[in-house]
Amino acid sequence: HVIARKMDGMLISTAGHPSQLPLFKELLQKDFPMVFFDRVPAELNVHKVVADNFAGAFNATEHLLLSGKKRIAHVTSLSMLSITQERLAGYKAALEKHHLPFDENLVRFCGFSSEEAFDTIVELIDKEHPDAIFTGSDRLALQSYEAIKKLAIKVPEELAFIGFTNLNVANLLSPSLTTVVQPSYEIGQMATEILLDLIDNKKKFSQYQAIKLPTELKIRESSK
């Protein structure tokens, strides 16, 4: 349909389902201009613009460790997503640096259903008793706040929190949410610039561009 409608190009952030790969491979073989951003297929050589998810997760986890937390849970997205794998790797690396063993019981993978996320977080807190939670997205952090309110847990006194992405309301939550700030605007701008170059040049680049932009940890009340 994309080829038939003579679309000039596409910006893509994948949902992570493996059934998408044959379509992407077919379009790549036709030299169709595509740039992937944020969530990218690890299995393909493609033009991509992403945040430094590994460093962001590492810094968030290390911040919790340096504040004295020992049982840091990680609630994240679907396991097949590139951002999930990179953020989990950063979380593990911080634990290793500070000589704490990785405990798979403290990691939970969630789909995009708010009900699933809420139930997962309540079960995690009830069963594993973490002293901190690092969520792989601010969407999951919001579900965590809802679960904590239901369980009457004090943040950060009993449970510290860090999110990822920096929602516009992160500073308005009570307590305000510590979060890894993802350069969303810059990612979109750079991905679009690359796509426009691909469309204008009408030829395949000599090599695929893979751009990784830095993140920033914004410390607020939820992890102090």
Side-chain angles (χ1 to χ4, degrees), residues 7-44:
M7 192 179 295
D8 291 327
M10 285 196 301
L11 294 171
I12 305 172
S13 182
T14 71
H17 199 282
S19 65
Q20 299 170 337
L21 291 179
L23 169 62
F24 295 149
K25 289 179 180 179
E26 180 181 350
L27 292 174
L28 287 170
Q29 290 172 355
K30 296 178 182 294
D31 290 338
F32 181 77
M34 294 188 298
V35 179
F36 291 78
F37 68 97
D38 191 28
R39 300 189 300 267
V40 302
E43 302 87 345
L44 300 178

PDB file of all heavy atoms in Angstrom, residues 7-44:
ATOM      1  N   MET A   7       4.185   6.931  -1.570  1.00  0.00           N
ATOM      2  CA  MET A   7       4.640   7.686  -0.398  1.00  0.00           C
ATOM      3  C   MET A   7       6.139   7.953  -0.520  1.00  0.00           C
ATOM      4  O   MET A   7       6.895   7.104  -0.993  1.00  0.00           O
ATOM      5  CB  MET A   7       4.328   6.891   0.872  1.00  0.00           C
ATOM      6  CG  MET A   7       4.479   7.684   2.157  1.00  0.00           C
ATOM      7  SD  MET A   7       4.044   6.664   3.607  1.00  0.00           S
ATOM      8  CE  MET A   7       2.307   6.373   3.316  1.00  0.00           C
ATOM      9  N   ASP A   8       6.579   9.134  -0.126  1.00  0.00           N
ATOM     10  CA  ASP A   8       7.986   9.506  -0.277  1.00  0.00           C
ATOM     11  C   ASP A   8       8.891   8.809   0.726  1.00  0.00           C
ATOM     12  O   ASP A   8      10.058   8.521   0.436  1.00  0.00           O
ATOM     13  CB  ASP A   8       8.153  11.022  -0.133  1.00  0.00           C
ATOM     14  CG  ASP A   8       7.549  11.784  -1.306  1.00  0.00           C
ATOM     15  OD1 ASP A   8       7.581  11.254  -2.431  1.00  0.00           O
ATOM     16  OD2 ASP A   8       7.044  12.890  -1.090  1.00  0.00           O
ATOM     17  N   GLY A   9       8.398   8.565   1.933  1.00  0.00           N
ATOM     18  CA  GLY A   9       9.230   7.954   2.965  1.00  0.00           C
ATOM     19  C   GLY A   9       8.444   7.805   4.255  1.00  0.00           C
ATOM     20  O   GLY A   9       7.308   8.276   4.355  1.00  0.00           O
ATOM     21  N   MET A  10       9.067   7.167   5.240  1.00  0.00           N
ATOM     22  CA  MET A  10       8.379   6.944   6.507  1.00  0.00           C
ATOM     23  C   MET A  10       9.329   7.096   7.687  1.00  0.00           C
ATOM     24  O   MET A  10      10.494   6.693   7.626  1.00  0.00           O
ATOM     25  CB  MET A  10       7.780   5.526   6.561  1.00  0.00           C
ATOM     26  CG  MET A  10       6.542   5.332   5.731  1.00  0.00           C
ATOM     27  SD  MET A  10       5.659   3.810   6.215  1.00  0.00           S
ATOM     28  CE  MET A  10       6.908   2.575   5.925  1.00  0.00           C
ATOM     29  N   LEU A  11       8.798   7.669   8.763  1.00  0.00           N
ATOM     30  CA  LEU A  11       9.425   7.631  10.082  1.00  0.00           C
ATOM     31  C   LEU A  11       8.714   6.536  10.872  1.00  0.00           C
ATOM     32  O   LEU A  11       7.481   6.522  10.932  1.00  0.00           O
ATOM     33  CB  LEU A  11       9.276   8.966  10.801  1.00  0.00           C
ATOM     34  CG  LEU A  11      10.011  10.158  10.201  1.00  0.00           C
ATOM     35  CD1 LEU A  11       9.579  11.439  10.899  1.00  0.00           C
ATOM     36  CD2 LEU A  11      11.512   9.983  10.323  1.00  0.00           C
ATOM     37  N   ILE A  12       9.481   5.638  11.497  1.00  0.00           N
ATOM     38  CA  ILE A  12       8.882   4.464  12.130  1.00  0.00           C
ATOM     39  C   ILE A  12       9.412   4.276  13.543  1.00  0.00           C
ATOM     40  O   ILE A  12      10.625   4.314  13.775  1.00  0.00           O
ATOM     41  CB  ILE A  12       9.170   3.186  11.312  1.00  0.00           C
ATOM     42  CG1 ILE A  12       8.702   3.352   9.867  1.00  0.00           C
ATOM     43  CG2 ILE A  12       8.519   1.971  11.947  1.00  0.00           C
ATOM     44  CD1 ILE A  12       9.129   2.225   8.959  1.00  0.00           C
ATOM     45  N   SER A  13       8.503   4.048  14.481  1.00  0.00           N
ATOM     46  CA  SER A  13       8.847   3.581  15.824  1.00  0.00           C
ATOM     47  C   SER A  13       8.075   2.280  16.016  1.00  0.00           C
ATOM     48  O   SER A  13       6.848   2.277  16.032  1.00  0.00           O
ATOM     49  CB  SER A  13       8.448   4.617  16.879  1.00  0.00           C
ATOM     50  OG  SER A  13       8.817   4.189  18.168  1.00  0.00           O
ATOM     51  N   THR A  14       8.778   1.172  16.129  1.00  0.00           N
ATOM     52  CA  THR A  14       8.136  -0.133  16.051  1.00  0.00           C
ATOM     53  C   THR A  14       7.375  -0.478  17.328  1.00  0.00           C
ATOM     54  O   THR A  14       7.679   0.015  18.410  1.00  0.00           O
ATOM     55  CB  THR A  14       9.160  -1.252  15.793  1.00  0.00           C
ATOM     56  OG1 THR A  14       9.945  -1.445  16.971  1.00  0.00           O
ATOM     57  CG2 THR A  14      10.062  -0.903  14.626  1.00  0.00           C
ATOM     58  N   ALA A  15       6.399  -1.372  17.171  1.00  0.00           N
ATOM     59  CA  ALA A  15       5.670  -1.912  18.312  1.00  0.00           C
ATOM     60  C   ALA A  15       6.348  -3.169  18.844  1.00  0.00           C
ATOM     61  O   ALA A  15       5.925  -3.718  19.851  1.00  0.00           O
ATOM     62  CB  ALA A  15       4.232  -2.235  17.912  1.00  0.00           C
ATOM     63  N   GLY A  16       7.389  -3.637  18.148  1.00  0.00           N
ATOM     64  CA  GLY A  16       8.186  -4.741  18.649  1.00  0.00           C
ATOM     65  C   GLY A  16       7.743  -6.110  18.207  1.00  0.00           C
ATOM     66  O   GLY A  16       8.388  -7.101  18.536  1.00  0.00           O
ATOM     67  N   HIS A  17       6.654  -6.228  17.433  1.00  0.00           N
ATOM     68  CA  HIS A  17       6.170  -7.551  17.048  1.00  0.00           C
ATOM     69  C   HIS A  17       7.011  -8.095  15.892  1.00  0.00           C
ATOM     70  O   HIS A  17       7.248  -7.416  14.902  1.00  0.00           O
ATOM     71  CB  HIS A  17       4.704  -7.482  16.629  1.00  0.00           C
ATOM     72  CG  HIS A  17       4.018  -8.812  16.664  1.00  0.00           C
ATOM     73  ND1 HIS A  17       4.181  -9.747  15.674  1.00  0.00           N
ATOM     74  CD2 HIS A  17       3.198  -9.364  17.595  1.00  0.00           C
ATOM     75  CE1 HIS A  17       3.479 -10.829  15.971  1.00  0.00           C
ATOM     76  NE2 HIS A  17       2.867 -10.618  17.125  1.00  0.00           N
ATOM     77  N   PRO A  18       7.492  -9.346  15.970  1.00  0.00           N
ATOM     78  CA  PRO A  18       8.371  -9.905  14.934  1.00  0.00           C
ATOM     79  C   PRO A  18       7.728 -10.012  13.565  1.00  0.00           C
ATOM     80  O   PRO A  18       8.437 -10.092  12.557  1.00  0.00           O
ATOM     81  CB  PRO A  18       8.724 -11.296  15.500  1.00  0.00           C
ATOM     82  CG  PRO A  18       7.689 -11.600  16.530  1.00  0.00           C
ATOM     83  CD  PRO A  18       7.300 -10.280  17.105  1.00  0.00           C
ATOM     84  N   SER A  19       6.407 -10.007  13.504  1.00  0.00           N
ATOM     85  CA  SER A  19       5.730 -10.108  12.210  1.00  0.00           C
ATOM     86  C   SER A  19       5.981  -8.897  11.328  1.00  0.00           C
ATOM     87  O   SER A  19       5.730  -8.931  10.116  1.00  0.00           O
ATOM     88  CB  SER A  19       4.221 -10.294  12.413  1.00  0.00           C
ATOM     89  OG  SER A  19       3.652  -9.146  13.027  1.00  0.00           O
ATOM     90  N   GLN A  20       6.488  -7.803  11.911  1.00  0.00           N
ATOM     91  CA  GLN A  20       6.766  -6.596  11.130  1.00  0.00           C
ATOM     92  C   GLN A  20       8.032  -6.731  10.284  1.00  0.00           C
ATOM     93  O   GLN A  20       8.187  -6.039   9.281  1.00  0.00           O
ATOM     94  CB  GLN A  20       6.928  -5.403  12.067  1.00  0.00           C
ATOM     95  CG  GLN A  20       5.706  -5.080  12.901  1.00  0.00           C
ATOM     96  CD  GLN A  20       6.018  -4.053  13.978  1.00  0.00           C
ATOM     97  OE1 GLN A  20       7.161  -3.898  14.389  1.00  0.00           O
ATOM     98  NE2 GLN A  20       4.988  -3.363  14.450  1.00  0.00           N
ATOM     99  N   LEU A  21       8.943  -7.606  10.690  1.00  0.00           N
ATOM    100  CA  LEU A  21      10.264  -7.662  10.063  1.00  0.00           C
ATOM    101  C   LEU A  21      10.217  -7.953   8.558  1.00  0.00           C
ATOM    102  O   LEU A  21      10.948  -7.306   7.795  1.00  0.00           O
ATOM    103  CB  LEU A  21      11.148  -8.675  10.781  1.00  0.00           C
ATOM    104  CG  LEU A  21      11.567  -8.281  12.198  1.00  0.00           C
ATOM    105  CD1 LEU A  21      12.428  -9.378  12.819  1.00  0.00           C
ATOM    106  CD2 LEU A  21      12.320  -6.960  12.205  1.00  0.00           C
ATOM    107  N   PRO A  22       9.432  -8.927   8.086  1.00  0.00           N
ATOM    108  CA  PRO A  22       9.410  -9.168   6.635  1.00  0.00           C
ATOM    109  C   PRO A  22       9.005  -7.939   5.830  1.00  0.00           C
ATOM    110  O   PRO A  22       9.543  -7.694   4.747  1.00  0.00           O
ATOM    111  CB  PRO A  22       8.378 -10.305   6.481  1.00  0.00           C
ATOM    112  CG  PRO A  22       8.415 -11.014   7.799  1.00  0.00           C
ATOM    113  CD  PRO A  22       8.630  -9.922   8.815  1.00  0.00           C
ATOM    114  N   LEU A  23       8.056  -7.158   6.351  1.00  0.00           N
ATOM    115  CA  LEU A  23       7.641  -5.938   5.660  1.00  0.00           C
ATOM    116  C   LEU A  23       8.797  -4.952   5.572  1.00  0.00           C
ATOM    117  O   LEU A  23       9.072  -4.383   4.511  1.00  0.00           O
ATOM    118  CB  LEU A  23       6.466  -5.297   6.396  1.00  0.00           C
ATOM    119  CG  LEU A  23       6.083  -3.875   5.949  1.00  0.00           C
ATOM    120  CD1 LEU A  23       5.648  -3.870   4.502  1.00  0.00           C
ATOM    121  CD2 LEU A  23       5.001  -3.299   6.843  1.00  0.00           C
ATOM    122  N   PHE A  24       9.499  -4.739   6.693  1.00  0.00           N
ATOM    123  CA  PHE A  24      10.617  -3.806   6.702  1.00  0.00           C
ATOM    124  C   PHE A  24      11.713  -4.267   5.734  1.00  0.00           C
ATOM    125  O   PHE A  24      12.312  -3.457   5.012  1.00  0.00           O
ATOM    126  CB  PHE A  24      11.188  -3.664   8.112  1.00  0.00           C
ATOM    127  CG  PHE A  24      10.231  -3.055   9.102  1.00  0.00           C
ATOM    128  CD1 PHE A  24      10.274  -3.411  10.439  1.00  0.00           C
ATOM    129  CD2 PHE A  24       9.284  -2.135   8.707  1.00  0.00           C
ATOM    130  CE1 PHE A  24       9.406  -2.864  11.361  1.00  0.00           C
ATOM    131  CE2 PHE A  24       8.399  -1.563   9.610  1.00  0.00           C
ATOM    132  CZ  PHE A  24       8.459  -1.937  10.940  1.00  0.00           C
ATOM    133  N   LYS A  25      11.998  -5.560   5.725  1.00  0.00           N
ATOM    134  CA  LYS A  25      13.031  -6.107   4.830  1.00  0.00           C
ATOM    135  C   LYS A  25      12.653  -5.876   3.371  1.00  0.00           C
ATOM    136  O   LYS A  25      13.509  -5.521   2.542  1.00  0.00           O
ATOM    137  CB  LYS A  25      13.220  -7.596   5.096  1.00  0.00           C
ATOM    138  CG  LYS A  25      13.900  -7.914   6.421  1.00  0.00           C
ATOM    139  CD  LYS A  25      14.030  -9.417   6.636  1.00  0.00           C
ATOM    140  CE  LYS A  25      14.712  -9.726   7.963  1.00  0.00           C
ATOM    141  NZ  LYS A  25      14.819 -11.193   8.211  1.00  0.00           N
ATOM    142  N   GLU A  26      11.385  -6.068   3.060  1.00  0.00           N
ATOM    143  CA  GLU A  26      10.927  -5.863   1.678  1.00  0.00           C
ATOM    144  C   GLU A  26      11.092  -4.406   1.265  1.00  0.00           C
ATOM    145  O   GLU A  26      11.556  -4.104   0.150  1.00  0.00           O
ATOM    146  CB  GLU A  26       9.466  -6.285   1.550  1.00  0.00           C
ATOM    147  CG  GLU A  26       8.903  -6.111   0.144  1.00  0.00           C
ATOM    148  CD  GLU A  26       7.446  -6.520   0.044  1.00  0.00           C
ATOM    149  OE1 GLU A  26       6.935  -7.117   1.019  1.00  0.00           O
ATOM    150  OE2 GLU A  26       6.816  -6.223  -0.996  1.00  0.00           O
ATOM    151  N   LEU A  27      10.734  -3.494   2.142  1.00  0.00           N
ATOM    152  CA  LEU A  27      10.866  -2.075   1.823  1.00  0.00           C
ATOM    153  C   LEU A  27      12.331  -1.667   1.697  1.00  0.00           C
ATOM    154  O   LEU A  27      12.696  -0.843   0.851  1.00  0.00           O
ATOM    155  CB  LEU A  27      10.170  -1.233   2.885  1.00  0.00           C
ATOM    156  CG  LEU A  27       8.642  -1.341   2.927  1.00  0.00           C
ATOM    157  CD1 LEU A  27       8.075  -0.576   4.119  1.00  0.00           C
ATOM    158  CD2 LEU A  27       8.026  -0.824   1.630  1.00  0.00           C
ATOM    159  N   LEU A  28      13.199  -2.240   2.542  1.00  0.00           N
ATOM    160  CA  LEU A  28      14.629  -1.944   2.450  1.00  0.00           C
ATOM    161  C   LEU A  28      15.213  -2.422   1.122  1.00  0.00           C
ATOM    162  O   LEU A  28      16.058  -1.747   0.521  1.00  0.00           O
ATOM    163  CB  LEU A  28      15.369  -2.597   3.626  1.00  0.00           C
ATOM    164  CG  LEU A  28      15.183  -1.950   5.000  1.00  0.00           C
ATOM    165  CD1 LEU A  28      15.760  -2.846   6.094  1.00  0.00           C
ATOM    166  CD2 LEU A  28      15.835  -0.571   5.049  1.00  0.00           C
ATOM    167  N   GLN A  29      14.771  -3.584   0.672  1.00  0.00           N
ATOM    168  CA  GLN A  29      15.254  -4.107  -0.606  1.00  0.00           C
ATOM    169  C   GLN A  29      14.845  -3.216  -1.776  1.00  0.00           C
ATOM    170  O   GLN A  29      15.528  -3.161  -2.799  1.00  0.00           O
ATOM    171  CB  GLN A  29      14.722  -5.527  -0.811  1.00  0.00           C
ATOM    172  CG  GLN A  29      15.344  -6.557   0.125  1.00  0.00           C
ATOM    173  CD  GLN A  29      14.657  -7.914   0.041  1.00  0.00           C
ATOM    174  OE1 GLN A  29      13.652  -8.077  -0.657  1.00  0.00           O
ATOM    175  NE2 GLN A  29      15.199  -8.897   0.748  1.00  0.00           N
ATOM    176  N   LYS A  30      13.744  -2.513  -1.617  1.00  0.00           N
ATOM    177  CA  LYS A  30      13.274  -1.594  -2.659  1.00  0.00           C
ATOM    178  C   LYS A  30      13.882  -0.198  -2.510  1.00  0.00           C
ATOM    179  O   LYS A  30      13.511   0.729  -3.228  1.00  0.00           O
ATOM    180  CB  LYS A  30      11.744  -1.483  -2.606  1.00  0.00           C
ATOM    181  CG  LYS A  30      11.008  -2.789  -2.912  1.00  0.00           C
ATOM    182  CD  LYS A  30       9.512  -2.585  -2.790  1.00  0.00           C
ATOM    183  CE  LYS A  30       8.742  -3.877  -3.031  1.00  0.00           C
ATOM    184  NZ  LYS A  30       8.876  -4.358  -4.433  1.00  0.00           N
ATOM    185  N   ASP A  31      14.824  -0.052  -1.531  1.00  0.00           N
ATOM    186  CA  ASP A  31      15.460   1.243  -1.251  1.00  0.00           C
ATOM    187  C   ASP A  31      14.439   2.318  -0.903  1.00  0.00           C
ATOM    188  O   ASP A  31      14.610   3.502  -1.220  1.00  0.00           O
ATOM    189  CB  ASP A  31      16.312   1.712  -2.444  1.00  0.00           C
ATOM    190  CG  ASP A  31      17.556   0.863  -2.623  1.00  0.00           C
ATOM    191  OD1 ASP A  31      17.978   0.223  -1.637  1.00  0.00           O
ATOM    192  OD2 ASP A  31      18.098   0.826  -3.741  1.00  0.00           O
ATOM    193  N   PHE A  32      13.359   1.918  -0.271  1.00  0.00           N
ATOM    194  CA  PHE A  32      12.346   2.876   0.163  1.00  0.00           C
ATOM    195  C   PHE A  32      12.887   3.668   1.355  1.00  0.00           C
ATOM    196  O   PHE A  32      13.389   3.082   2.318  1.00  0.00           O
ATOM    197  CB  PHE A  32      11.062   2.139   0.563  1.00  0.00           C
ATOM    198  CG  PHE A  32       9.964   3.053   0.997  1.00  0.00           C
ATOM    199  CD1 PHE A  32       9.221   3.765   0.067  1.00  0.00           C
ATOM    200  CD2 PHE A  32       9.674   3.221   2.345  1.00  0.00           C
ATOM    201  CE1 PHE A  32       8.204   4.618   0.475  1.00  0.00           C
ATOM    202  CE2 PHE A  32       8.656   4.072   2.756  1.00  0.00           C
ATOM    203  CZ  PHE A  32       7.926   4.777   1.813  1.00  0.00           C
ATOM    204  N   PRO A  33      12.820   4.996   1.324  1.00  0.00           N
ATOM    205  CA  PRO A  33      13.375   5.821   2.400  1.00  0.00           C
ATOM    206  C   PRO A  33      12.654   5.597   3.738  1.00  0.00           C
ATOM    207  O   PRO A  33      11.456   5.868   3.857  1.00  0.00           O
ATOM    208  CB  PRO A  33      13.170   7.254   1.900  1.00  0.00           C
ATOM    209  CG  PRO A  33      13.064   7.132   0.419  1.00  0.00           C
ATOM    210  CD  PRO A  33      12.344   5.831   0.198  1.00  0.00           C
ATOM    211  N   MET A  34      13.375   5.111   4.723  1.00  0.00           N
ATOM    212  CA  MET A  34      12.818   4.884   6.061  1.00  0.00           C
ATOM    213  C   MET A  34      13.854   5.272   7.103  1.00  0.00           C
ATOM    214  O   MET A  34      15.042   4.988   6.947  1.00  0.00           O
ATOM    215  CB  MET A  34      12.451   3.408   6.272  1.00  0.00           C
ATOM    216  CG  MET A  34      11.335   2.896   5.410  1.00  0.00           C
ATOM    217  SD  MET A  34      10.853   1.203   5.916  1.00  0.00           S
ATOM    218  CE  MET A  34      12.376   0.311   5.605  1.00  0.00           C
ATOM    219  N   VAL A  35      13.378   5.890   8.162  1.00  0.00           N
ATOM    220  CA  VAL A  35      14.228   6.167   9.317  1.00  0.00           C
ATOM    221  C   VAL A  35      13.469   5.709  10.561  1.00  0.00           C
ATOM    222  O   VAL A  35      12.307   6.088  10.763  1.00  0.00           O
ATOM    223  CB  VAL A  35      14.578   7.667   9.434  1.00  0.00           C
ATOM    224  CG1 VAL A  35      15.443   7.910  10.674  1.00  0.00           C
ATOM    225  CG2 VAL A  35      15.306   8.141   8.181  1.00  0.00           C
ATOM    226  N   PHE A  36      14.128   4.894  11.372  1.00  0.00           N
ATOM    227  CA  PHE A  36      13.523   4.398  12.608  1.00  0.00           C
ATOM    228  C   PHE A  36      13.967   5.283  13.770  1.00  0.00           C
ATOM    229  O   PHE A  36      15.107   5.771  13.791  1.00  0.00           O
ATOM    230  CB  PHE A  36      13.960   2.955  12.851  1.00  0.00           C
ATOM    231  CG  PHE A  36      13.391   1.977  11.863  1.00  0.00           C
ATOM    232  CD1 PHE A  36      13.931   1.857  10.589  1.00  0.00           C
ATOM    233  CD2 PHE A  36      12.302   1.183  12.200  1.00  0.00           C
ATOM    234  CE1 PHE A  36      13.408   0.963   9.671  1.00  0.00           C
ATOM    235  CE2 PHE A  36      11.769   0.285  11.289  1.00  0.00           C
ATOM    236  CZ  PHE A  36      12.321   0.172  10.022  1.00  0.00           C
ATOM    237  N   PHE A  37      13.060   5.467  14.737  1.00  0.00           N
ATOM    238  CA  PHE A  37      13.405   6.289  15.895  1.00  0.00           C
ATOM    239  C   PHE A  37      12.852   5.671  17.166  1.00  0.00           C
ATOM    240  O   PHE A  37      11.851   4.964  17.148  1.00  0.00           O
ATOM    241  CB  PHE A  37      12.883   7.724  15.722  1.00  0.00           C
ATOM    242  CG  PHE A  37      11.390   7.853  15.758  1.00  0.00           C
ATOM    243  CD1 PHE A  37      10.728   8.210  16.928  1.00  0.00           C
ATOM    244  CD2 PHE A  37      10.623   7.614  14.615  1.00  0.00           C
ATOM    245  CE1 PHE A  37       9.347   8.330  16.964  1.00  0.00           C
ATOM    246  CE2 PHE A  37       9.246   7.735  14.641  1.00  0.00           C
ATOM    247  CZ  PHE A  37       8.601   8.091  15.827  1.00  0.00           C
ATOM    248  N   ASP A  38      13.524   5.922  18.270  1.00  0.00           N
ATOM    249  CA  ASP A  38      13.141   5.480  19.608  1.00  0.00           C
ATOM    250  C   ASP A  38      13.131   3.961  19.723  1.00  0.00           C
ATOM    251  O   ASP A  38      14.065   3.364  20.224  1.00  0.00           O
ATOM    252  CB  ASP A  38      11.789   6.083  19.999  1.00  0.00           C
ATOM    253  CG  ASP A  38      11.487   5.855  21.481  1.00  0.00           C
ATOM    254  OD1 ASP A  38      12.452   5.746  22.266  1.00  0.00           O
ATOM    255  OD2 ASP A  38      10.303   5.803  21.854  1.00  0.00           O
ATOM    256  N   ARG A  39      12.063   3.294  19.277  1.00  0.00           N
ATOM    257  CA  ARG A  39      11.999   1.836  19.308  1.00  0.00           C
ATOM    258  C   ARG A  39      12.375   1.325  17.922  1.00  0.00           C
ATOM    259  O   ARG A  39      11.638   1.511  16.954  1.00  0.00           O
ATOM    260  CB  ARG A  39      10.598   1.357  19.713  1.00  0.00           C
ATOM    261  CG  ARG A  39      10.171   1.842  21.092  1.00  0.00           C
ATOM    262  CD  ARG A  39       8.880   1.174  21.542  1.00  0.00           C
ATOM    263  NE  ARG A  39       7.768   1.438  20.651  1.00  0.00           N
ATOM    264  CZ  ARG A  39       6.909   2.432  20.808  1.00  0.00           C
ATOM    265  NH1 ARG A  39       7.048   3.288  21.808  1.00  0.00           N
ATOM    266  NH2 ARG A  39       5.917   2.598  19.960  1.00  0.00           N
ATOM    267  N   VAL A  40      13.515   0.676  17.824  1.00  0.00           N
ATOM    268  CA  VAL A  40      14.056   0.290  16.522  1.00  0.00           C
ATOM    269  C   VAL A  40      14.266  -1.224  16.474  1.00  0.00           C
ATOM    270  O   VAL A  40      14.483  -1.866  17.502  1.00  0.00           O
ATOM    271  CB  VAL A  40      15.393   1.018  16.246  1.00  0.00           C
ATOM    272  CG1 VAL A  40      15.196   2.521  16.303  1.00  0.00           C
ATOM    273  CG2 VAL A  40      16.467   0.588  17.237  1.00  0.00           C
ATOM    274  N   PRO A  41      14.213  -1.833  15.283  1.00  0.00           N
ATOM    275  CA  PRO A  41      14.435  -3.274  15.164  1.00  0.00           C
ATOM    276  C   PRO A  41      15.930  -3.609  15.252  1.00  0.00           C
ATOM    277  O   PRO A  41      16.716  -3.211  14.394  1.00  0.00           O
ATOM    278  CB  PRO A  41      13.866  -3.608  13.785  1.00  0.00           C
ATOM    279  CG  PRO A  41      13.986  -2.331  13.012  1.00  0.00           C
ATOM    280  CD  PRO A  41      13.836  -1.215  13.996  1.00  0.00           C
ATOM    281  N   ALA A  42      16.312  -4.337  16.273  1.00  0.00           N
ATOM    282  CA  ALA A  42      17.716  -4.681  16.470  1.00  0.00           C
ATOM    283  C   ALA A  42      18.225  -5.620  15.381  1.00  0.00           C
ATOM    284  O   ALA A  42      19.430  -5.683  15.106  1.00  0.00           O
ATOM    285  CB  ALA A  42      17.909  -5.320  17.842  1.00  0.00           C
ATOM    286  N   GLU A  43      17.309  -6.343  14.732  1.00  0.00           N
ATOM    287  CA  GLU A  43      17.703  -7.365  13.761  1.00  0.00           C
ATOM    288  C   GLU A  43      18.066  -6.793  12.397  1.00  0.00           C
ATOM    289  O   GLU A  43      18.608  -7.516  11.554  1.00  0.00           O
ATOM    290  CB  GLU A  43      16.562  -8.373  13.572  1.00  0.00           C
ATOM    291  CG  GLU A  43      16.122  -9.067  14.846  1.00  0.00           C
ATOM    292  CD  GLU A  43      15.050  -8.283  15.609  1.00  0.00           C
ATOM    293  OE1 GLU A  43      14.865  -7.087  15.298  1.00  0.00           O
ATOM    294  OE2 GLU A  43      14.412  -8.867  16.496  1.00  0.00           O
ATOM    295  N   LEU A  44      17.796  -5.521  12.142  1.00  0.00           N
ATOM    296  CA  LEU A  44      17.991  -4.941  10.821  1.00  0.00           C
ATOM    297  C   LEU A  44      19.007  -3.807  10.855  1.00  0.00           C
ATOM    298  O   LEU A  44      19.092  -3.057  11.822  1.00  0.00           O
ATOM    299  CB  LEU A  44      16.665  -4.390  10.281  1.00  0.00           C
ATOM    300  CG  LEU A  44      15.513  -5.377  10.102  1.00  0.00           C
ATOM    301  CD1 LEU A  44      14.278  -4.647   9.609  1.00  0.00           C
ATOM    302  CD2 LEU A  44      15.889  -6.492   9.136  1.00  0.00           C
TER     303      LEU A  44
END
